[in-house]
Amino acid sequence: MLAAPEPTLTESEIIERAVALRPVLLERQPETEQLTHYPKDTHDDFLRAGFYRMLQPRRYGGYEFGLPAFYRVVTEIARGCPSTGWALSLTAAHVLQVATLFDEKAQDEIFGADGDFRAASTVVPVGVAQPDGDGHVVLDGTWPYSSGAPYSTHYVGQTLRAPATPGDPPGPPVLFVAPRAVWTVLDDWHGVLGLRGSGSNSIHMEQARIPAYLTREAFLLDLPVEGGSVGSKLHGNAMYAGRAPSFFHGELAAIMIGTAYAAADEYARAVAARPLALEPDRTRAGLPDYQRHLGEALGLIDMAEAALRRTAQDWMEACRRNVAGEAPFTAVEDNRLALMFLNAGRTAWDVLQGTLFRTAGSRHARDGERMQRYFRDAATYWSHVGAGMYEPLTRRVGCDRFGLPSDDIPLIP
């Protein structure tokens, strides 16, 4: 057993740390975009705060906090800097799938003696896992959009099982965990509209050898968790027997809600500082229209966050029922939860672009303006593959209610 750096740290305390960091992250936004990832000072702040260990098993030096607390921290960090919130979430979160699927031997090696674990990931399979006949597999390929790659200690990736006979099609999907020593980060996260500081670089492997026990025949969009998992038994925590798609949509919703709050903060600051042309002793904050715009935005963002928190609790309860044998955590339940999360993120996007950005004024659409940055970041979220699952998810939920098969509706085109 490996003790956490602060064994008595509570969920409320780690949330308070995230809130306290917001002003610092706000000031580092330009530097974060320039670097294309958050600066080392921010990384050190996260290490000290324990953010990377929120979902990590206690057995390996983590805190095993629940989803509501994790999403709340992500929301607060994104409120300080959306790119930073994105990168933090998408590196601190994949510990959940690793702790769910891999056996004790693999987890002992992955988390090591100090429990230092952060993992970028992408869901689309690249290349094949080629056995080398010596208990290892060889990986080749480039995995793009690996958010948080610059500070990751591991890579959680998808590939395909190599065909048994040359010329045959590849086998089923393979999930793998590759340590930092066997891959490199490409300097290719440039020229994007938003989330410029998210460190979503490509990961490249060339004849990378990893032990076969660091692979599992599994697909992140359909984890084998019904009735419990290796991880839920090893750690005695039902959270390690949950499905990944809905959890992933919760991550994106938390980031988007934090970004919307950031835009509301900037809107309040900018409007209160803008004097009226004909009454310079008054500001726009005194006009009914701007009061209404801000109030409407805050009401909708608060509603989205309430949906995020409630759905996170539902996810935890689905895990508990699954392990207790009361009700399996099925794809049907996963679809429902995923759509709830996606609707929360969609609501935040709608109010950010339709109310806050639209009515803030053109001067705030200039380069270097925070409101422009938030709009770019949010628009990039809405072009992400996760947001693109909205239509197939609505179909899946409808089919589930009609009693029709839905698993043949692909989430990713």
Side-chain angles (χ1 to χ4, degrees):
M1 297 289 289
L2 176 66
E6 297 176 88
T8 62
L9 184 67
T10 65
E11 292 186 350
S12 60
E13 286 172 338
I14 205 164
I15 291 169
E16 289 170 5
R17 291 177 181 182
V19 173
L21 270 177
R22 278 187 356 220
V24 177
L25 300 177
L26 196 70
E27 295 305 314
R28 292 174 183 166
Q29 284 181 9
E31 181 185 7
T32 297
E33 284 204 333
Q34 183 179 22
L35 290 171
T36 71
H37 57 266
Y38 54 75
K40 187 177 183 300
D41 286 345
T42 298
H43 173 57
D44 291 339
D45 288 336
F46 289 176
L47 286 171
R48 285 190 295 269
F51 292 156
Y52 296 123
R53 296 174 182 258
M54 286 185 285
L55 297 174
Q56 193 157 311
R58 291 190 185 95
R59 180 189 187 95
Y60 297 113
Y63 297 108
E64 280 191 31
F65 293 150
L67 253 63
F70 177 77
Y71 289 154
R72 177 68 189 282
V73 167
V74 170
T75 296
E76 296 298 341
I77 296 300
R79 189 170 182 173
C81 175
S83 281
T84 299
W86 184 281
L88 169 64
S89 187
L90 273 69
T91 51
H94 295 114
V95 65
L96 198 61
Q97 290 81 53
V98 172
T100 294
L101 287 178
F102 288 86
D103 62 21
E104 184 176 1
K105 178 182 179 180
Q107 292 195 37
D108 284 349
E109 179 171 325
I110 290 166
F111 296 115
D114 58 5
D116 193 30
F117 179 87
R118 301 173 293 281
S121 181
T122 47
V123 71
V124 178
V126 172
V128 295
Q130 183 69 53
D132 70 351
D134 190 29
H136 290 72
V137 297
V138 179
L139 301 167
D140 280 285
T142 300
W143 285 258
Y145 303 108
S146 302
S147 300
Y151 294 109
S152 289
T153 62
H154 294 75
Y155 187 71
V156 177
Q158 293 272 189
T159 186
L160 298 174
R161 181 68 67 193
T165 304
D168 289 348
V174 173
L175 186 71
F176 66 85
V177 182
R180 183 64 179 254
V182 303
W183 48 266
T184 57
V185 179
L186 302 185
D187 184 20
D188 60 354
W189 189 241
H190 303 281
V192 291
L193 175 67
L195 297 172
R196 294 176 178 176
S198 63
S200 298
N201 304 65
S202 296
I203 293 292
H204 181 69
M205 300 188 203
E206 198 166 321
Q207 291 291 292
R209 294 176 74 250
I210 64 172
Y213 56 80
L214 295 185
T215 70
R216 283 290 308 273
E217 285 196 359
F219 188 36
L220 276 174
L221 295 183
D222 190 20
L223 297 181
V225 297
E226 290 191 21
S229 69
V230 172
S232 64
K233 295 179 179 67
L234 178 63
H235 303 297
N237 189 333
M239 181 172 70
Y240 301 113
R243 287 184 170 267
S246 51
F247 167 79
F248 174 65
H249 283 290
E251 288 186 82
L252 299 189
I255 297 162
M256 191 60 236
I257 290 165
T259 305
Y261 274 130
D265 293 341
E266 178 63 12
Y267 189 91
R269 183 204 65 78
V271 167
R274 180 81 180 272
L276 300 180
L278 301 180
E279 299 178 72
D281 58 329
R282 298 178 61 203
T283 70
R284 288 188 172 187
L287 298 180
D289 282 348
Y290 291 95
Q291 297 164 0
R292 176 172 53 82
H293 292 324
L294 182 57
E296 177 185 44
L298 289 171
L300 288 169
I301 301 167
D302 285 348
M303 182 184 70
E305 187 180 21
L308 173 70
R309 293 189 189 186
R310 171 56 189 271
T311 310
Q313 292 168 353
D314 286 353
W315 191 93
M316 295 288 288
E317 177 63 12
C319 291
R320 186 199 66 78
R321 292 197 307 266
N322 183 34
V323 171
E326 297 173 10
F329 198 156
T330 63
V332 170
E333 180 68 357
D334 194 48
N335 291 336
R336 184 185 74 83
L337 296 174
L339 188 56
M340 288 284 289
F341 282 134
L342 218 166
N343 275 323
R346 181 186 177 120
T347 297
W349 156 246
D350 285 345
V351 74
L352 190 158
Q353 60 92 18
T355 300
L356 297 172
F357 182 77
R358 180 180 64 83
T359 66
S362 297
R363 67 176 60 191
H364 299 289
R366 294 173 179 268
D367 289 344
E369 292 287 338
R370 287 175 183 158
M371 186 63 77
Q372 188 226 55
R373 181 176 296 122
Y374 300 147
F375 176 80
R376 290 190 286 102
D377 291 342
T380 300
Y381 153 77
W382 200 239
S383 70
H384 187 269
V385 64
M389 293 180 188
Y390 184 77
E391 189 274 338
L393 269 174
T394 58
R395 285 191 60 207
R396 280 192 171 198
V397 171
C399 286
D400 293 339
R401 186 60 181 269
F402 282 131
L404 300 173
S406 66
D407 55 3
D408 60 341
I409 300 172
L411 291 176
I412 299 178

